[in-house]
Amino acid sequence: MKLDPATIERLKAKIAVYREFLKNWLEPSNLAQLRPKLEFQTGILAGFALIASVLLGVTNCSTEGTIQRRLDEDLKKSLEEVVPSTLYDNDMLQDTMTLLSAEYNIGTDETTVYIAKKSGNVSAVCFKLTAPDGYSGAINMIMGIDRDGNILGVRVLSHKETPGLGDKIEVAKSDWILKFTGRSLDNLAPAKWAVKKDGGEFDQFAGATITPRKSVQAIYRGLQLFKAHQDPLINP
Amino acid sequence: MFLSETYRKIAADGIWNNNIVFGQNLALCPLLAVTGTATNGLGMGLATLVVIIASNGLISVTRHLIPSEIRIPIFVLLIAALVTLVDILMNAWAHELYKVLGLFIALIVTNCALLGRAEAFASKQPVKHALWDGLMMGLGFLIVLVALGAAREISASGTLFANASVLLGESFRFLEVTVIPNYKGFLLMALPPGGFIMLAFLIVGKRLIDQKIAERKARKVSVTVLTPAIAEEES
C-alpha cells in the first residue's frame, strides 16, 4: 500500500499533536494537579493492574511450553534413576496408565503409572508416591517395580524433613533408601515392613524415627497398590 | 573522583550505614529462611538484587503518576508482578537454578525491604539515583546473606559454598571448600534458631566496628581542635 504525500503529512501532523499532548500531560506539574483527583487515581490503579496482568499473561503463555518441557526432562531423569535403562526401550512418559489410589493414602487420589516396555512387553512400572504424614510435611518419592513386584529402586524427590537428621532418606546423604531394592511383598512379611524399632527390617536414624517409619509405610502401601493392579498393568 | 558525593553517600548507606539487615532490620524472614548455606544465601541475594533494582527503577520512572493515597497498592502490585515475572522466566530459562532457588523467589514478595526502598527512596528520587540505590541496597543484602550463610554453614557442617557448582555452573566448583575436615557437625546452626544466633553475632560485630570508627573520628576532631592552641603557645 502506498500513501500519497498529503496523507503522510496529515498523519505526521496528527502524531505530533498527540505527542505534544502526551508530553504536556506527563509534565510533573500537570500530574501534580491531577493526582488528588479520584478519577485519576482510579484510572491509574486500573492502568497499572492492566499492564501488570497483560505482561504476566504474555510471559506465562510464551513460557508454558518451555516449562512443561523442563518438567518432563526432570521427570524423565527421576524415572531413569529408578528403572535401569536396560529394561526398556519405549518412552515411558507416553506409556501411562491412571490408577485410583485414594484408599492407599499415597498422596493423590489418582496415580499415574509410567510403564516400561522392552520390545513391546511390560518389564517394569514406575510411579510417584507420597508419605503425607512425614515429620514436617509430605515426603514425595518415586518408585520403580519390576513386573514380578520386586522394587527396582526408590528415590526421594522432595521433602521438608529436618536437615542433618531426617534428610538421610535422600540418596545424596545416605544409602538408606537403597536397602529397598529387591524387596517385595513376597520376600518380606508384612510385619517386617517397618523400622527396626517397630520390629521391622529397616534402620531408623539416630534422632529421627518418624521420617523413616512413615517412608517405609508409604512404600509398603505403594507396593499394595501395584499388587492390586498387577494383572492389568503387566498384561495390557 | 569517580563518583559524586550523592552516589558515594547512597553506596555507603546501602552497603554499610543503612544496610537492609543491619541498619533497617528488615527482610529477616527471607534472610533466616535461606541462609542455611552460603550458596543458598548467594542465590537468594542475586535474585533479590535483580528484583530490587528493577522495582526501584520502575517505581522511580512512574513516580509522578502515582498519587500518594494509593501508592502502597501500586507498589505491591508492581513488586508482585516483577517477582512473578522473574519466577516464570527463571523456571523456563534457568531451570536448574530454579530448582534450587524456586522456593525463595516467591519469598521476595514478602521482603519488606523492597517496599521500604520504594516508599523511602525510589518514589522521591530520579531514576539514576533509584537504580543506584537498588544496586547498593541489593549488594548490601547480598553481602549479609552470604556472610550469614557462610558462618552458619561452616559452624553447622564445616563446609563452605557446598553445591555452588549446581547454582553457578561447573566452572565455579573451586568455590566449594571443606573448611574443617572430619567435622562432626553442629545441627543447631543449620536450623532456624542458629540463624537468629549467628545474626546476633554479626550485628554485634557491626556495632563494634561502628563504635571503633566513631571513637577514631572523635579523636581526630579533638586533635584538630588542639593543634591551633599548641601553635599559639609556641609563637
Side-chain angles (χ1 to χ4, degrees):
Chain A
M1 193 176 77
K2 238 186 161 192
L3 294 168
D4 60 292
T7 328
I8 292 176
E9 274 312 301
R10 244 199 347 261
L11 279 175
K12 267 189 182 159
K14 210 148 214 179
I15 289 170
V17 170
Y18 282 131
R19 256 171 116 179
E20 190 64 26
F21 170 76
L22 204 62
K23 209 178 135 208
N24 286 338
W25 191 77
L26 282 173
E27 259 328 287
S29 59
N30 177 49
L31 288 173
Q33 263 180 8
L34 284 171
R35 260 176 295 173
K37 290 190 183 150
L38 187 62
E39 307 91 281
F40 178 79
Q41 295 181 358
T42 320
I44 281 293
L45 191 54
F48 272 106
L50 185 73
I51 293 169
S53 24
V54 167
L55 207 60
L56 287 179
V58 169
T59 320
N60 189 34
C61 290
S62 58
T63 53
E64 215 168 17
T66 323
I67 292 175
Q68 192 54 49
R69 267 202 304 284
R70 296 281 183 276
L71 293 178
D72 283 350
E73 280 166 20
D74 286 352
L75 181 59
K76 210 167 196 165
K77 238 181 255 166
S78 347
L79 289 175
E80 281 163 8
E81 275 201 49
V82 292
V83 180
S85 58
T86 48
L87 281 181
Y88 64 94
D89 49 17
N90 64 329
D91 181 3
M92 276 196 270
L93 292 185
Q94 304 303 326
D95 250 327
T96 62
M97 192 187 254
T98 306
L99 302 180
L100 292 175
S101 57
E103 56 185 300
Y104 295 95
N105 188 23
I106 53 170
T108 49
D109 292 347
E110 283 184 353
T111 298
T112 306
V113 180
Y114 305 93
I115 298 171
K117 288 178 180 162
K118 184 95 183 183
S119 35
N121 296 319
V122 177
S123 54
V125 301
C126 179
F127 55 91
K128 288 185 189 177
L129 72 163
T130 299
D133 43 8
Y135 182 68
S136 44
I139 304 168
N140 298 309
M141 295 178 276
I142 190 163
M143 174 158 70
I145 307 174
D146 73 8
R147 54 179 291 136
D148 304 317
N150 301 307
I151 294 179
L152 289 167
V154 191
R155 291 290 180 279
V156 172
L157 297 174
S158 64
H159 69 87
K160 300 192 193 75
E161 304 304 295
T162 319
L165 295 176
D167 64 354
K168 294 198 183 73
I169 51 174
E170 289 174 36
V171 75
K173 304 270 162 68
S174 98
D175 57 2
W176 180 80
I177 200 101
L178 302 176
K179 299 268 160 64
F180 288 95
T181 309
R183 301 291 187 183
S184 74
L185 292 179
D186 297 327
N187 66 22
L188 199 61
K192 285 285 176 188
W193 282 93
V195 291
K196 284 191 173 142
K197 209 181 209 171
D198 303 337
E201 176 72 19
F202 301 96
D203 288 325
Q204 60 268 9
F205 310 137
T209 311
I210 294 173
T211 307
R213 177 188 288 152
K214 295 300 177 185
S215 308
V216 173
Q217 287 169 359
I219 292 167
Y220 180 64
R221 293 196 298 270
L223 281 174
Q224 284 177 322
L225 170 73
F226 170 76
K227 188 143 200 170
H229 300 89
Q230 192 166 12
D231 263 345
L233 277 175
I234 63 174
N235 304 310
Chain B
M1 203 67 207
F2 172 56
L3 292 168
S4 73
E5 188 65 32
T6 330
Y7 284 94
R8 258 183 296 151
K9 192 179 172 314
I10 293 173
D13 268 352
I15 290 178
W16 188 260
N17 298 334
N18 199 19
N19 182 293
I20 289 179
V21 177
F22 291 153
Q24 309 173 48
N25 286 324
L26 289 177
L28 298 185
C29 155
L31 177 82
L32 295 169
V34 307
T35 50
T37 67
T39 310
N40 279 356
L42 182 65
M44 181 70 179
L46 291 174
T48 310
L49 182 70
V50 171
V51 177
I52 198 171
I53 294 175
S55 90
N56 259 14
L58 210 61
I59 283 163
S60 178
V61 168
T62 55
R63 69 188 185 282
H64 293 300
L65 281 171
I66 302 174
S68 66
E69 289 87 348
I70 54 163
R71 65 189 191 284
I72 302 291
I74 290 183
F75 293 163
V76 172
L77 181 72
L78 284 178
I79 293 170
L82 260 178
V83 170
T84 315
L85 269 183
V86 171
D87 187 78
I88 297 175
L89 291 176
M90 245 177 105
N91 195 354
W93 304 115
H95 193 68
E96 289 303 312
L97 192 60
Y98 183 79
K99 276 195 279 186
V100 186
L101 287 181
L103 214 68
F104 312 139
I105 303 290
L107 268 178
I108 299 178
V109 178
T110 69
N111 193 334
C112 36
L114 270 77
L115 196 60
R117 286 333 281 168
E119 165 80 14
F121 197 92
S123 60
K124 303 187 179 89
Q125 301 282 345
V127 182
K128 275 184 294 181
H129 291 180
L131 287 174
W132 181 249
D133 177 71
L135 177 67
M136 286 303 142
M137 283 288 164
L139 271 182
F141 189 49
L142 178 96
I143 291 168
V144 177
L145 279 166
V146 174
L148 187 57
R152 281 176 73 184
E153 191 181 345
I154 291 172
S155 53
S157 56
T159 58
L160 189 58
F161 284 110
N163 296 327
S165 54
V166 181
L167 180 72
L168 301 164
E170 269 310 303
S171 47
F172 283 86
R173 187 170 283 281
F174 70 90
L175 276 176
E176 298 175 17
V177 193
T178 306
V179 181
I180 314 171
N182 302 323
Y183 189 53
K184 284 275 182 287
F186 182 36
L187 182 63
L188 175 70
M189 280 306 163
L191 298 176
F196 277 108
I197 295 169
M198 201 48 100
L199 179 63
F201 280 122
L202 288 186
I203 291 180
V204 168
K206 196 245 179 193
R207 293 267 160 92
L208 283 178
I209 295 174
D210 277 346
Q211 218 172 356
K212 279 268 148 62
I213 294 173
E215 270 171 26
R216 192 170 299 168
K217 255 189 197 156
R219 213 176 302 146
K220 243 186 209 161
V221 169
S222 61
V223 167
T224 45
V225 170
L226 280 176
T227 346
I230 297 168
E232 262 169 43
E233 265 174 37
E234 277 175 3
S235 68

